[in-house]
Amino acid sequence: MAAFKVENINLWYDDNQALIDVSLDIPGNQVTAFIGPSGCGKSTLLRCFNRMNDLLPNTRIEGNIIMQDGREISDPSVDVVKLRTEVGMVFQSPNPFPMSVYDNVAYGLRCQGIKNKKQLNTTVEYSLRQAALWDEVKDSLQRNALKLSGGQQQRLCIARAIALEPNVLLMDEPTSALDPIATAKIEDLMQSLKRMYTIIIVTHSMSQAARISDQTAFFLLDRKSTRLNSSHITI
Ligand code: ADP
């Protein structure tokens, strides 16, 4: 079943049309990779899935993104705050908050008003385990997150998103700032995470898309439409 059905999306930043008639399905519990030349609209489309583009001024969008429950993503009945917890996002550069490992993962829950220590402990451990980071940080949960390696910081950001129980994880070039070993860990992690989450990743690496994705959407720069491959791309 599709996590999202994208139907004829057109998006403008002022007069610059960044997406033209983009249509594709994002299957649930799979990894979908977006690939294409710089500036072709990959990150723009990614930001449509949690309505982050709403935060940018002078952005206009036409078309539909149908969610799994059948609602269009811009429908007035959609609670944007809830949507952004259900559709978590991980950015290009790891961006942990300048606080402890524990507090980073607990942050979103505390924002939701959850104070129960036992509940926080359970969710922090669960999220760090899911992000394959628990064994490396379990003895130093109070350590400042900024002291972790870049790869550990990125897995911490994944744990922070997981703590909010998302259905979908959006990843915008999540390994571009990481060394090959840290990149391999994140790629392995994605394979285990897709059992529970739908993953959409922007990557500039054809070989990464081939390694990790179940399907790959190729974005074209000239007409900026997408073409969807039915299975892995092969290199
Ligand atoms: P990609 O992720 O494929 O590199 P982007 O989605 O970042 O492409 O950009 C697509 C187009 O939209 C580019 O022409 C870019 O300059 C423009 N763009 C992206 N973000 C913004 C923004 N916040 N404001 C104005 N234009 C933007």
Side-chain angles (χ1 to χ4, degrees), residues 35 205-207 209-211 213 216 218 229 231-235:
I35 200 159
S205 161
M206 291 281 277
S207 51
R211 280 195 300 274
S213 70
T216 302
F218 295 88
N229 214 10
S231 61
H232 278 289
I233 49 173
T234 48
I235 307 283

Side-chain angles (χ1 to χ4, degrees), residues 93-96 101 132-133 136-137 140 143-158 174 177-179 181-183 185-186:
S93 299
N95 60 349
V101 169
L133 188 58
E136 292 164 55
V137 299
S140 51
R143 192 172 174 216
N144 190 319
L146 299 179
K147 294 200 171 145
L148 298 176
S149 71
Q152 288 173 324
Q153 289 188 14
Q154 196 60 304
R155 279 179 284 143
L156 179 64
C157 294
I158 293 170
L178 304 182
D179 65 45
I181 292 170
T183 296
K185 280 195 176 166
I186 300 269

Side-chain angles (χ1 to χ4, degrees), residues 13 16 18 37-44 47 56:
Y13 298 105
N16 177 23
S38 202
C40 66
K42 304 179 296 295
S43 301
T44 297
R47 288 195 298 266
L56 302 172

Side-chain angles (χ1 to χ4, degrees), residues 11 13-14 16-19 36-45 47 53 56-57 59 172-173 202 219 224:
L11 187 146
Y13 298 105
D14 293 308
N16 177 23
Q17 186 164 5
L19 297 172
S38 202
C40 66
K42 304 179 296 295
S43 301
T44 297
L45 183 60
R47 288 195 298 266
N53 291 316
L56 302 172
T59 304
D172 197 349
E173 298 195 31
V202 170
F219 286 60
K224 294 174 182 154

Side-chain angles (χ1 to χ4, degrees), residues 167-222:
N167 302 318
V168 180
L169 288 173
L170 308 177
M171 298 188 173
D172 197 349
E173 298 195 31
T175 61
S176 62
L178 304 182
D179 65 45
I181 292 170
T183 296
K185 280 195 176 166
I186 300 269
E187 290 183 0
D188 287 348
L189 179 59
M190 275 188 249
Q191 293 310 308
S192 62
L193 289 178
K194 76 176 182 183
R195 283 195 284 271
M196 295 197 59
Y197 313 103
T198 299
I199 297 178
I200 312 174
I201 176 174
V202 170
T203 175
H204 60 262
S205 161
M206 291 281 277
S207 51
Q208 181 171 65
R211 280 195 300 274
I212 61 167
S213 70
D214 298 294
Q215 65 164 9
T216 302
F218 295 88
F219 286 60
L220 310 176
L221 190 58
D222 50 355

Side-chain angles (χ1 to χ4, degrees), residues 15 31 59 118 164 194:
D15 293 335
V31 178
T59 304
K118 195 162 168 241
L164 295 174
K194 76 176 182 183

